[in-house]
Amino acid sequence: MRKLKIAYLSCGSFTHIEPYIEFFKSRGHDIMLIAYDTPNRDYGVKVIDISRGACGKEAGSKWKYLLAGMSLKKIIKELRPDILHGHYVTSAGVIGMLSGFKPLVLTAHGSDVIGSMRSKLWRMILKCVFAKAAYINPVSERLAEHIRTLGIPNDKIVVATLGVDTDLYTFKPFEEFHRPLRLLCTRTLAKVYDPMTIIKAAEILKVKGVDFTITFAAGGDMEEQLKDVSAQQGFRDKILFMGGYNNNQLPALLHEHDIFVSASLWDGTSISLLEAMAAGIYPIVSRIPANTAWLDEGVTGSMHAVGNSDELAGAIIDAVQKPDHIATAIKANRNRVVEKGDRTKNMEKIEAIYYKLIKT
């Protein structure tokens, strides 16, 4: 089959656009990135910056999607891609729709759908955006359910998460817990991931005499606040803030820890969770649909109510008392990721959609 000219439309700082670029570039396709917010890294492909502040946090910035859409309409005539693939339907979806380009593929990552569905105006906008798209790719079945409520036909919906590289995230069988117990959170230190609940759970563990350490691998807006709270609680030697990490270092980091913790308020498919499951680290996460879609509570992972630090601490203590259960659970998790969350398999699914579109 001939190689394709694929234009990705995304916020220039979007973390998950790079794996799409890298994968399809490795397949020999001609890849370009059209960024509606100034890129913060070198992606190794042609980048066209049409930023007009559309990704900005300032109030009223989203009206600039109109300007970005007009810019894209002009540029796309020169680029002449086979496929335009937008990431985040409330931004790239709107801009892609305004450009009038076909075929348009859209990936919904979570907050762009779940957060917007509460607004009648955004529900109307999403219906228009989805109507113009040839295919919509929600990264979870939960997102697909939301999209179907807008009257979008099922034959336009392709559920596939970005997934993880299961060759990179090798599996390490469970042997025994470290002493002190090593807990790891790789989520961004932002409000939506509720890292403060993890800090509060640490306070409970300390009172109950549990010997532990917690590593917060990622950085984020809440990092300084969390550091201050940790210092006030006397956790200088118990809690490590890495401030960020290189993805190639993450498999080893996972293997060095015992339990993956996440307290997210809501989510799409969590790549961080899939990385932990692939590597063989036991997950204890918030009880939200995005997590229950991948874990069987009490069987392959433990869960806590959103914002409930007592339940989180209790789940950690309970897990430590069941090492035989941990060994069985992490093997099942690895198998589930290989079956449904392998990056190569899922990207090949998207590639098949591309080829289908250029033949119609």
Side-chain angles (χ1 to χ4, degrees):
M1 290 185 286
R2 75 175 178 89
K3 299 306 178 183
L4 303 177
K5 193 173 185 180
I6 307 169
Y8 287 103
L9 176 61
S10 167
C11 185
S13 57
F14 179 46
T15 304
H16 293 322
I17 196 61
E18 189 168 16
Y20 285 87
I21 291 172
E22 290 300 318
F23 180 84
F24 287 103
K25 186 171 67 172
S26 74
R27 304 284 278 194
H29 298 301
D30 182 5
I31 306 299
M32 65 195 78
L33 172 64
I34 302 173
Y36 51 86
D37 194 27
T38 304
N40 60 358
R41 72 193 75 181
D42 180 6
Y43 290 99
V45 297
K46 182 177 182 179
V47 177
I48 302 93
D49 186 351
I50 62 169
S51 60
R52 303 279 186 137
C55 262
K57 295 181 180 179
E58 68 275 11
S61 67
K62 290 186 183 296
W63 69 267
K64 296 180 181 178
Y65 290 150
L66 176 62
L67 299 178
M70 294 191 316
S71 297
L72 178 59
K73 191 169 187 175
K74 296 176 183 178
I75 291 169
I76 211 81
K77 289 181 179 179
E78 301 174 7
L79 298 176
R80 299 177 65 84
D82 295 303
I83 301 288
L84 177 63
H85 188 162
H87 289 261
Y88 273 95
V89 296
T90 49
S91 48
V94 173
I95 296 168
M97 175 186 70
L98 293 172
S99 77
F101 180 84
K102 297 179 180 180
L104 172 65
V105 176
L106 296 175
T107 294
H109 288 273
S111 60
D112 48 344
V113 172
I114 296 173
S116 301
M117 293 289 279
R118 304 185 188 100
S119 163
K120 289 184 178 179
L121 175 59
W122 268 108
R123 286 177 68 91
M124 291 174 59
I125 294 173
L126 288 179
K127 288 184 72 171
C128 293
V129 168
F130 290 147
K132 295 294 184 181
Y135 277 94
I136 303 107
N137 162 224
V139 298
S140 71
E141 183 56 38
R142 172 70 170 174
L143 291 179
E145 291 173 3
H146 281 286
I147 292 170
R148 292 186 189 105
T149 66
L150 297 175
I152 307 304
N154 201 51
D155 59 5
K156 285 183 64 171
I157 299 173
V158 180
V159 179
T161 179
L162 168 63
V164 299
D165 183 345
T166 54
D167 290 329
L168 176 63
Y169 289 87
T170 56
F171 178 72
K172 181 182 179 182
F174 177 80
E175 295 178 354
E176 60 182 359
F177 288 115
H178 291 91
R179 295 185 180 181
L181 182 71
R182 298 178 184 178
L183 308 173
L184 174 68
C185 177
T186 59
R187 312 310 304 271
T188 301
L189 302 182
K191 186 176 180 180
V192 67
Y193 300 120
D194 194 17
M196 194 61 74
T197 287
I198 299 175
I199 298 290
K200 290 177 180 178
E203 296 172 13
I204 296 169
L205 294 177
K206 181 180 179 181
V207 170
K208 291 184 176 293
V210 178
D211 191 12
F212 69 92
T213 63
I214 299 177
T215 299
F216 286 101
D221 295 341
M222 293 181 65
E223 184 171 349
E224 292 307 314
Q225 177 188 1
L226 294 166
K227 284 181 177 179
D228 288 343
V229 172
S230 297
Q232 292 170 11
Q233 296 298 325
F235 284 145
R236 291 189 183 277
D237 297 327
K238 290 286 187 182
I239 299 181
L240 169 67
F241 293 89
M242 292 178 57
Y245 57 87
N246 185 306
N247 283 336
N248 289 330
Q249 299 172 329
L250 186 53
L253 185 64
L254 287 162
H255 290 159
E256 292 168 1
H257 288 79
D258 301 302
I259 293 174
F260 169 83
V261 291
S262 173
S264 53
L265 305 179
W266 44 264
D267 217 334
T269 294
S270 168
I271 299 302
S272 296
L273 172 59
L274 299 190
E275 290 165 345
M277 292 169 67
I281 176 172
Y282 186 74
I284 299 180
V285 298
S286 51
R287 193 179 294 107
I288 58 175
N291 293 333
T292 58
W294 286 92
L295 297 172
D296 299 321
E297 184 172 1
V299 180
T300 58
S302 301
M303 296 188 181
H304 62 90
V306 169
N308 193 319
S309 55
D310 288 294
E311 282 193 15
L312 173 54
I316 292 169
I317 293 170
D318 183 64
V320 174
Q321 297 171 347
K322 300 177 179 178
D324 291 340
H325 168 75
I326 301 300
T328 301
I330 64 171
K331 287 180 183 178
N333 285 338
R334 170 70 182 189
N335 292 338
R336 183 165 293 185
V337 173
V338 169
E339 179 186 358
K340 295 184 177 181
D342 178 78
R343 179 164 297 170
T344 297
K345 291 179 183 177
N346 290 351
M347 292 301 98
E348 286 176 347
K349 193 174 181 179
I350 298 299
E351 187 180 47
I353 293 299
Y354 292 164
Y355 279 115
K356 184 177 179 179
L357 287 173
I358 65 170
K359 291 179 181 178
T360 56

